[in-house]
């Protein structure tokens, strides 16, 4: 297992988060999303969005966490973002009260593929769970591309399950199916 840790994102990390997002999407989603969409993603635009997410979160329960690989140097290798579930976490036609208070939503959980299978995703997920517990969340949800077997396999291996909700994102006139997974947030930290 790699030496690594998780820390909160800082404003100066926004550019590196955008770089990680692009590199990961272009590698992991190359068979899921149209190539020209991935090729035309604007790294500067993503960096501005991440800067805002880190510096001006909508609430104290919105967080961006970073996975750091430690070697002779430290490298940012992944990130996760979550907050209280909102309309973006709902399935089409699902009433707002379907995801009541106490539900966290994962908006991003990415580890750059070349740093995969070294425990970074697990550390990010464990850190998010700790924050969710502190914030009083009792359940969490996350959308995953139906064809993204790596993410779905990772989440289900940690206790997440599909909750029956599905949707399709319209990506440049191509419908890309997603499934929603959910998990109960344990009330106590896991024993070490």
């Amino acid at each position: 297992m790699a030496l690594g840790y998780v820390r909160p994102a800082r404003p100066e990390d926004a550019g590196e988060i955008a770089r990680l997002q692009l590199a990961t999407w272009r590698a992991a989603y190359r068979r899921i999303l149209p190539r020209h969409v991935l090729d035309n993603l604007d790294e500067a635009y993503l960096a501005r969005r991440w800067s805002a997410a880190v510096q001006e979160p909508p609430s104290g329960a919105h967080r961006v966490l970073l996975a750091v690989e430690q070697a002779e140097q430290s490298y940012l290798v992944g990130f996760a973002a979550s907050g209280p579930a909102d309309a973006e976490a709902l399935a089409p036609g699902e009433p707002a009260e379907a995801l009541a208070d106490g539900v966290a939503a994962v908006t991003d959980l990415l580890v750059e593929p070349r740093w995969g299978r070294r425990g970074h995703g697990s550390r990010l997920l464990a850190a998010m769970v700790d924050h969710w517990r502190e914030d009083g969340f009792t359940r969490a949800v996350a959308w995953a591309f139906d064809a993204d077997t790596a993410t779905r396999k990772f989440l289900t291996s940690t206790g997440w399950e599909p909750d029956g909700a599905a949707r399709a994102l319209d990506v440049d006139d191509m419908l890309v199916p997603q499934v929603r997974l959910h998990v109960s947030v344990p009330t106590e930290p896991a024993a070490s």
Side-chain angles (χ1 to χ4, degrees):
M1 182 169 283
L3 292 175
Y5 61 93
V6 172
R7 68 167 173 82
R10 300 185 286 250
E12 62 269 20
D13 296 323
E16 188 64 4
I17 296 169
R19 185 202 65 75
L20 281 168
Q21 183 176 22
L22 280 177
T24 303
W25 281 20
R26 287 176 176 158
Y29 300 154
R30 70 182 183 273
R31 290 185 176 92
I32 299 171
L33 299 174
R35 181 181 176 129
H36 69 278
V37 169
L38 293 171
D39 289 345
N40 290 322
L41 289 171
D42 182 1
E43 189 169 339
Y45 169 77
L46 292 173
R48 287 191 300 277
R49 289 186 52 128
W50 285 114
S51 179
V54 171
Q55 294 184 71
E56 303 162 9
S59 77
H62 285 83
R63 292 188 171 80
V64 179
L65 303 175
L66 298 177
V68 180
E69 168 95 9
Q70 287 181 277
E72 290 179 22
Q73 295 181 0
S74 292
Y75 303 94
L76 297 181
V77 298
F79 67 96
S82 71
D86 60 13
E88 293 295 315
L90 294 170
E94 190 172 40
E97 57 274 4
L99 297 178
D101 292 339
V103 179
V106 176
T107 56
D108 292 279
L109 177 57
L110 299 172
V111 173
E112 191 173 0
R114 65 187 170 135
W115 299 102
R117 307 202 54 81
R118 297 168 66 87
H120 298 297
S122 296
R123 280 189 286 278
L124 283 166
L125 191 55
M128 285 195 300
V129 168
D130 288 342
H131 286 298
W132 296 337
R133 188 180 306 107
E134 291 168 14
D135 293 331
F137 292 114
T138 58
R139 191 169 146 240
V141 297
W143 287 100
F145 290 116
D146 193 45
D148 183 0
T149 55
T151 296
R152 291 179 45 222
K153 183 177 178 180
F154 170 69
L155 288 175
T156 57
S157 76
T158 63
W160 292 68
E161 297 177 329
D163 69 2
R167 68 182 182 190
L169 297 182
D170 185 351
V171 181
D172 199 35
D173 292 330
M174 178 179 156
L175 293 178
V176 184
Q178 290 188 309
V179 295
R180 190 173 64 198
L181 295 100
H182 72 123
V183 72
S184 293
V185 175
T187 57
E188 299 292 325
S192 296

